[in-house]
Amino acid sequence: MVQNPLPPLGLYVHWPYCARICPYCDFNVVRDRGRTDEQAALADAIIADMTAHRTLTGPRRLLSIFFGGGTPSLMDPAAVARVIETAKALWTPEGDLEISLEANPTDAEAGRFEALADAGVARLSLGVQALDDASLKLLGRNHDAGSARRAIATAARLFPRLSVDLIYARPGQTDAAWREELAEMLAYGPEHVSPYQLTIEAGTAFDRAVGRGKIVPPDEDLAAQLFETTQEVLEAAGFDAYEVSNHARGPAARSRHNLVYWRGVDYVGVGPGAHGRLTLAGGKVATTARLKIADYIAAVARDGTGFDREDLTPVEAAEERLLLGLRIDDGVAFTEMAALELSPDTPKVKSLVEAGLLADDPVRLRATRQGRLLLDRLTGVLAT
């Protein structure tokens, strides 16, 4: 049998609609507000854009499909099924093809979980964020703690694989309360947990509230303590921290799609503002879809594609590989860092090993736990 010489890939589908825009969010999202006709046109455009990408990629093995956003659990399940079936027809699905979808735990969305499972989604990533009403109100979420608990229970029953997202280092949060919250969440039995430290992004509503003194995030010491507590509690429950903000109950529970990003595997990005990375004849290519929904739909209708492409230089590709690869426990091979002239003997690598930020490994660049906590500083040193 002739083996396919082209590298495998994942597929990312961006669905930008949200019932409410969270005050900490800086993603490409819009209010839903019943845009039924526009959503149907967008689903058609995404299908057409995938077909255009197939011309670029050629025949590939398909490792994963990830519906993100936005809130893709608001997407018509029939449209979800169309995207999945089209992807399987365009590329050759792996036998263990991972199909994930992000969802919010409102009662209305939980009512759609069964239809989404029937559409082919097997792994749900549930944006719980908190399990107490005061925190959910502060975070601007449109669900309460009761609906979060009901959604977790429903998802655990309907989907073979369940991941739960939580946000910590929230204003007013204590270490004891965070321990209790983690313990309660673990009792539902998810195989994967993504605890994200709250980041105040420039230009968001939270950024403006912090500037006015309306909210006060935890100080650096408390944030670091909450990070350590996260590692401690999840490790004791049998989870491995395979990435900065992702913990899995064993290797099989790891997010294969996210590992596509972190391991430098190719991926197609479709939907408004979606990014992609493809290995083509000339090297690594970055694709970026039109940001606005109307522009994306119009571009696909006019040109057959909704994205622009840019050839990455070897240095740019290596810097990106470094930035993403250091997020995971297996790091990046030195052989992939030739364009950055990094080796075990490079002075800045040695100094970071001595500082306890990099592991003493002659084959791979691997961040220690402390290094992952200071990832921005670490990658800034290595990439300059």
Side-chain angles (χ1 to χ4, degrees):
M1 176 182 291
V2 177
Q3 296 295 316
N4 184 354
L6 297 172
L9 52 75
L11 170 66
Y12 173 73
V13 181
H14 188 79
W15 193 251
Y17 302 97
C18 285
R20 178 187 295 181
I21 308 301
C22 297
Y24 53 84
C25 180
D26 68 340
F27 296 157
N28 183 36
V29 297
V30 298
R31 288 287 298 275
D32 189 339
R33 293 178 175 171
R35 307 178 185 208
T36 308
D37 291 343
E38 182 185 76
Q39 291 178 18
L42 178 58
D44 289 341
I46 285 172
I47 296 288
D49 202 10
M50 288 165 56
T51 305
H53 271 89
R54 172 60 173 77
T55 303
L56 264 186
T57 66
R60 302 280 190 104
R61 290 183 295 116
L62 183 64
L63 302 176
S64 61
I65 303 172
F66 192 98
F67 293 85
T71 309
S73 50
L74 296 174
M75 192 174 180
D76 181 355
V80 172
R82 281 181 62 209
V83 170
I84 292 170
E85 292 309 309
T86 300
K88 289 179 177 180
L90 292 172
W91 299 285
T92 304
E94 290 283 84
D96 58 351
L97 174 67
E98 178 186 85
I99 305 176
S100 304
L101 182 140
E102 292 180 333
N104 285 328
T106 64
D107 286 331
E109 288 170 63
R112 301 159 65 90
F113 286 177
E114 187 168 2
L116 290 167
D118 290 343
V121 176
R123 180 180 181 274
L124 198 74
S125 179
L126 194 58
V128 173
Q129 314 311 5
L131 287 172
D132 72 272
D133 288 334
S135 292
L136 289 169
K137 182 178 180 180
L138 175 73
L139 292 170
R141 304 296 288 173
N142 63 339
H143 67 273
D144 59 18
S147 59
R149 293 182 176 95
R150 290 190 294 273
I152 298 172
T154 300
R157 175 173 57 84
L158 291 173
F159 296 94
R161 302 180 62 195
L162 174 62
S163 178
V164 174
D165 291 0
L166 292 172
I167 292 176
Y168 70 96
R170 308 187 296 258
Q173 188 177 35
T174 66
D175 186 69
W178 178 228
R179 285 178 180 273
E180 291 179 7
E181 193 169 18
L182 283 171
E184 180 183 358
M185 180 273 302
L186 289 170
Y188 287 97
E191 66 165 20
H192 189 279
V193 181
S194 297
Y196 296 101
Q197 184 168 321
L198 179 62
T199 303
I200 308 299
E201 301 288 354
T204 62
F206 261 16
D207 181 41
R208 294 188 291 273
V210 170
R212 295 193 303 267
K214 294 287 188 181
I215 60 173
V216 180
D219 62 32
E220 190 173 304
D221 289 342
L222 177 55
Q225 176 58 49
L226 291 167
F227 173 84
E228 292 298 335
T229 294
T230 304
Q231 315 310 309
E232 175 192 330
V233 171
L234 291 174
E235 282 178 8
F239 287 76
D240 60 280
Y242 72 101
E243 193 268 346
V244 174
S245 300
N246 287 269
H247 302 244
R249 202 189 294 271
R254 297 181 175 193
S255 169
R256 292 173 215 151
H257 184 81
N258 284 341
L259 285 170
V260 163
Y261 302 147
W262 300 324
R263 288 176 173 165
V265 178
D266 282 7
Y267 61 97
V268 167
V270 292
H275 292 257
R277 294 294 183 273
L278 300 173
T279 304
L280 303 178
K284 205 75 167 182
V285 171
T287 65
T288 306
R290 306 297 167 82
L291 194 65
K292 294 182 179 179
I293 297 169
D295 291 347
Y296 178 78
I297 294 172
V300 173
R302 182 182 63 249
D303 306 324
T305 65
F307 62 90
D308 298 313
R309 54 179 287 181
E310 176 190 359
D311 295 329
L312 299 180
T313 68
V315 169
E316 289 171 334
E319 287 178 342
E320 188 171 90
R321 181 74 185 91
L322 175 71
L323 179 65
L324 295 173
L326 282 179
R327 296 185 65 87
I328 55 176
D329 53 3
D330 54 4
V332 185
F334 279 108
T335 53
E336 297 182 71
M337 294 291 102
L340 299 181
E341 300 181 346
L342 294 176
S343 75
D345 298 322
T346 305
K348 56 187 170 184
V349 171
K350 286 186 171 182
S351 67
L352 290 168
V353 170
E354 291 169 1
L357 301 181
L358 286 177
D360 188 3
D361 187 330
V363 177
R364 306 184 71 83
L365 277 164
R366 293 189 297 110
T368 62
R369 177 181 290 184
Q370 182 185 0
R372 290 197 210 175
L373 184 59
L374 302 172
L375 192 62
D376 288 342
R377 185 186 310 174
L378 182 63
T379 53
V381 170
L382 288 170
T384 54

